[in-house]
């Protein structure tokens, strides 16, 4: 019975990350900024932002994304993560 409960809990946790809607706020070929809401756990939001940055960098120029910094936009309640698009 315990494995079923653990599986259900893991499924619920992973479903939470799917509700995080990353927004590309800037992209110039060398870097991309991804906004995520501060209302989500930071590690989940950063994982989603990283995935989106990886997609954008790969699609744009076949590069990989590397996290460089984070700024907080308190007025809008979101994190702005800057990723460098590297070869």
């Amino acid at each position: 019975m315990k494995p079923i409960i653990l599986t259900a809990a893991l499924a619920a946790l992973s479903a939470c990350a799917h509700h995080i809607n990353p927004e590309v706020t800037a992209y110039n070929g060398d870097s991309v900024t991804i906004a995520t809401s501060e209302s989500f756990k930071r590690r989940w939001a950063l994982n989603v932002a990283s995935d989106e940055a990886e997609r954008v960098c790969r699609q744009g120029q076949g590069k990989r994304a590397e996290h460089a910094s984070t700024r907080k936009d308190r007025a809008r309640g979101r994190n702005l993560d800057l990723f460098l698009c590297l070869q």
Side-chain angles (χ1 to χ4, degrees):
M1 180 112 171
K2 288 183 183 180
I4 293 172
I5 293 171
L6 180 59
T7 302
L10 289 175
L13 287 175
S14 65
C16 292
H18 293 286
H19 294 354
I20 300 172
N21 295 319
E23 178 188 347
V24 176
T25 61
Y27 172 69
N28 66 12
D30 293 320
S31 65
V32 61
T33 301
I34 309 291
T36 55
S37 174
E38 286 183 319
S39 64
F40 294 101
K41 288 193 181 234
R42 181 66 186 133
R43 66 173 184 202
W44 294 347
L46 185 56
N47 283 340
V48 170
S50 295
D51 289 346
E52 181 66 3
E54 192 68 36
R55 184 191 69 76
V56 170
C57 290
R58 190 175 39 238
Q59 182 179 20
Q61 306 214 355
K63 297 179 179 180
R64 65 178 175 81
E66 183 175 307
H67 189 259
S69 66
T70 302
R71 289 182 297 127
K72 296 217 181 264
D73 179 355
R74 297 208 189 276
R76 291 186 168 175
R78 62 187 187 169
N79 294 306
L80 300 169
D81 291 292
L82 174 67
F83 295 85
L84 301 178
C85 297
L86 305 172
Q87 291 290 350

